[in-house]
Amino acid sequence: MTEALHPFHYLLDLSARAREANALLPVADTDAAQSWNGVGFRLGDHYCVAPIGDIAEVLVEPPVTRLPGVKSWIKGVANVRGRLLPLMDLTAFFNFDSAQGRVSRRILVVEHGEIYIGMIVDEVLGLQYFSPDEFSAESEGVDPGVARFVQGCYQQGDRRWALFRPLNMLEDQEFFNVAA
């Protein structure tokens, strides 16, 4: 039976082994440091990516209280940790067909100053990473309704990702005209 190490010596040994293992790891890729990343999501058949700084959090669709006298794309309000979160269905706002059921739908929460809203999307596809040479300032092929909120596209393989700016929606009069 071996004698147990004193806790301090155990920590020193653990630290030495971690440094040895760290030396075997590859050096960080400089291209990864220059890449741009954002939250990828889908609206109908359209793939979009939003800057990660524009999205406060991503939520599963909570129970919603409907509001009377509002447009059909306003789903209502939800209580999220004691705050009322108005929920807007972006797929319905842009008149897209929702390709999947409610299971994959998520909420992109946008918080900017006093504005706190949830934008319902068909699916969140996680963080997406793009190199600068995949970006084009042209929004060719983007649906005209969405194009006013897009600032270019990333082409990655055969998939085109529209750079969607949720904060631009906060300045759009149609988006805030919610009365039916």
Side-chain angles (χ1 to χ4, degrees):
M1 182 174 216
T2 61
E3 188 176 314
L5 287 175
H6 186 275
F8 179 73
H9 294 326
Y10 175 75
L11 290 175
L12 286 176
D13 180 54
L14 187 62
S15 174
R17 286 189 289 158
R19 279 193 299 276
E20 289 173 15
N22 189 36
L24 300 175
L25 292 174
V27 178
D29 186 5
T30 56
D31 289 341
Q34 295 177 359
S35 69
W36 183 90
N37 63 352
V39 178
F41 61 96
R42 193 176 49 74
L43 296 171
D45 295 330
H46 306 277
Y47 289 87
C48 301
V49 62
I52 197 163
D54 289 0
I55 306 299
E57 64 182 311
V58 177
L59 301 173
V60 174
E61 213 171 338
V64 176
T65 301
R66 297 281 306 160
L67 298 171
V70 294
K71 293 187 178 174
S72 62
W73 51 270
I74 303 295
K75 293 305 171 192
V77 293
N79 183 347
V80 177
R81 293 182 295 281
R83 290 178 75 184
L84 288 180
L85 179 67
L87 298 176
M88 284 80 165
D89 187 340
L90 290 187
T91 305
F93 177 76
F94 292 120
N95 295 315
F96 295 151
D97 290 329
S98 185
Q100 292 186 349
R102 300 188 66 80
V103 176
S104 64
R105 291 171 55 103
R106 296 291 181 264
I107 297 171
L108 301 177
V109 177
V110 176
E111 191 167 7
H112 183 70
E114 296 291 319
I115 298 173
Y116 179 65
I117 61 169
M119 298 179 178
I120 302 171
V121 297
D122 286 329
E123 183 178 19
V124 170
L125 303 165
L127 282 179
Q128 302 297 317
Y129 297 87
F130 303 97
S131 67
D133 61 330
E134 294 174 320
F135 181 75
S136 168
E138 300 296 319
S139 299
E140 185 178 308
V142 176
D143 184 272
V146 179
R148 65 184 192 251
F149 307 113
V150 169
Q151 290 182 331
C153 293
Y154 285 96
Q155 186 70 41
Q156 198 172 57
D158 61 346
R159 182 164 291 159
R160 191 167 179 86
W161 297 84
L163 176 53
F164 186 83
R165 299 304 306 252
L167 297 182
N168 289 358
M169 291 195 82
L170 303 182
E171 299 169 0
D172 186 66
Q173 190 62 34
E174 181 186 351
F175 186 68
F176 278 105
N177 184 12
V178 298

